[in-house]
Amino acid sequence: METLTAQVGAHRAESEQSIDVKRKSAIKGAFFSEYIDMFDIYLPVVALSPVLFYFQPPNLSSGTETILASLVFITTLLGRPLGALLFGIMADSIGRRKASIYSVSGFGVVTLLIACLPGYQTLGIGAYVLLVLLRFIDGIFLGGGYTGAMPLAIEYSKKHQRGFVGGLIISGFPAAYVSINLVTMLVFFLFPLNGLNSPYVQWGWRIPFIIGGVLAAFLALYYIFKVKESEIWESETGGEKREKLALTDLLRGKSGRNLLQVLLMMSGFWLTQNIITIYLPTGLLVHTLHLSGFEMTSTLLITYCVLFFSYIGSGMLGQKIGRRRFFLIAGPLIAVLGSALLYVLTTVPGLSLGTIMLLVGVLAVLVTSPWGVIVTYINERFVTDVRATGFGMGFSLSVIIPSFYAFYMDWLSALMPLALTSVVLLALGAVIGTLGAYMGPETKDVDF
């Protein structure tokens, strides 16, 4: 009897150790998936923006240049919801692991293809068309990058650690932003940018893209050899392919109502996020505060280093007090305190660089704090059968309307000074996000 008990105990310990290894592998995979996904997304913003003229006809008007530049980023944005849908269905049908492998491999190949593109001097306008087309395809694969990886990691996490895991995963975003900036700064230093025939224009910008493609290849191999399929998904499906598409289950009944609530909440928090991650560096710091390139880069690098830790802290705080309660506290704080900080940065003249850095850091930590909780919360809002599709659609589809914030600022400028429109949109986004969270339940005690 004692021998049998010892054998059972040893088997149980071995099983728990095996699950622990799978858990760590899945969480690492999700973190690096977010990191590489964001690295790839910021490549055009950081590394390619200075040389877009390499792909475009010469002597364009400034308005035409702005439109052509924006298309490179908008097409990626439009591809992401499509990828989230396609790979979400795939993840719910054939498994989280396989969906992650296919999507990561896809955007790795596309990123390397972009690195090989010739310029306008070689292909004419076809060079620009190919760039936009590849970025759209890249967006599809990028939209699937987290759709399988994040549900897989959250499903493997212990219930009391989901908050930490969600915050850790999303911290891959600021880590990627810091990395791509450092890499690009190094490439700029080694290969100067000075006219069409300068080293950076001809081939220097390709180096960060090659690095992004190689990172994706390593991540795909990691999922192939190190990450096991979600045991929760396998227990629900028997590990077999589902014939019925998850989309039909997602859009009706309780899951359909859950999706609408998540889309409302995420639309609000995407709007506040875009004010910080897009408008703040391109509009506020450059055009309003007139920071030099070095001052702006230093401010953003310090801010994103802080965000790496604040995301993890938000996730842990949401685990302690509840995800819904966190949103209901953070939302009003963003609307009031966040808007006040942005108002000060926008309207008070003569702020010192140190003061600007401090205010930007506090503003960014406060406004983006919900994102340390969002990954876990959305996964907990959907049952296993539709979790990957629900997460992917809730996370990606909601980004489209808020991403046209610049148009909303232009419309509002008819009623108020343009500089104040960002303050109004920040408050509005926070109110929408809070309302969306209020309409949903608490999820931290949900069983998968």
Side-chain angles (χ1 to χ4, degrees), residues 127-151:
Y128 173 80
V129 172
L130 280 176
L131 173 63
V132 171
L133 179 61
L134 286 175
R135 283 305 296 180
F136 176 72
I137 298 172
D138 206 24
I140 294 175
F141 285 112
L142 288 168
Y146 51 80
T147 303
M150 292 187 184

Side-chain angles (χ1 to χ4, degrees), residues 78-154:
L78 295 177
R80 285 176 67 87
L82 180 58
L85 174 61
L86 294 176
F87 284 95
I89 292 173
M90 185 184 298
D92 285 326
S93 300
I94 66 174
R96 319 318 195 191
R97 176 177 171 273
K98 288 182 180 178
S100 298
I101 293 171
Y102 296 152
S103 62
V104 170
S105 301
F107 69 69
V109 170
V110 174
T111 301
L112 289 175
L113 287 175
I114 293 174
C116 298
L117 282 178
Y120 181 83
Q121 289 179 312
T122 303
L123 276 186
I125 194 62
Y128 173 80
V129 172
L130 280 176
L131 173 63
V132 171
L133 179 61
L134 286 175
R135 283 305 296 180
F136 176 72
I137 298 172
D138 206 24
I140 294 175
F141 285 112
L142 288 168
Y146 51 80
T147 303
M150 292 187 184
L152 175 60
I154 296 297

Side-chain angles (χ1 to χ4, degrees), residues 220-361:
L221 292 173
Y222 180 81
Y223 268 96
I224 291 171
F225 293 108
K226 292 291 186 180
V227 179
K228 303 298 181 182
E229 185 53 79
S230 165
E231 294 187 355
I232 290 177
W233 178 82
E234 288 184 327
S235 68
E236 291 281 343
T237 64
E240 301 294 330
K241 178 180 177 179
R242 298 177 66 217
E243 297 299 327
K244 184 178 167 184
L245 292 180
L247 182 61
T248 58
D249 293 335
L250 176 64
L251 297 179
R252 65 185 184 187
K254 183 178 179 181
S255 292
R257 293 190 294 273
N258 292 349
L259 179 60
L260 289 175
Q261 179 260 319
V262 168
L263 286 173
L264 178 64
M265 185 191 81
M266 288 299 296
S267 294
F269 287 136
W270 268 120
L271 183 55
T272 60
Q273 181 82 349
N274 286 343
I275 296 297
I276 297 301
T277 59
I278 304 177
Y279 168 72
L280 187 144
T282 60
L284 179 65
L285 297 184
V286 174
H287 297 297
T288 302
L289 297 175
H290 306 292
L291 298 189
S292 67
F294 176 78
E295 291 172 336
M296 182 190 73
T297 301
S298 301
T299 300
L300 292 177
L301 285 178
I302 293 171
T303 298
Y304 277 86
C305 286
V306 174
L307 287 181
F308 176 87
F309 298 100
S310 69
Y311 281 156
I312 297 174
S314 295
M316 296 174 68
L317 181 58
Q319 182 69 48
K320 184 175 182 63
I321 68 174
R323 331 275 188 226
R324 180 175 182 269
R325 181 178 296 175
F326 183 95
F327 295 139
L328 295 182
I329 294 173
L333 282 176
I334 294 170
V336 178
L337 181 57
S339 296
L341 290 171
L342 184 57
Y343 179 83
V344 170
L345 283 166
T346 302
T347 61
V348 176
L351 295 174
S352 67
L353 179 60
T355 301
I356 291 173
M357 286 181 169
L358 177 62
L359 292 178
V360 167

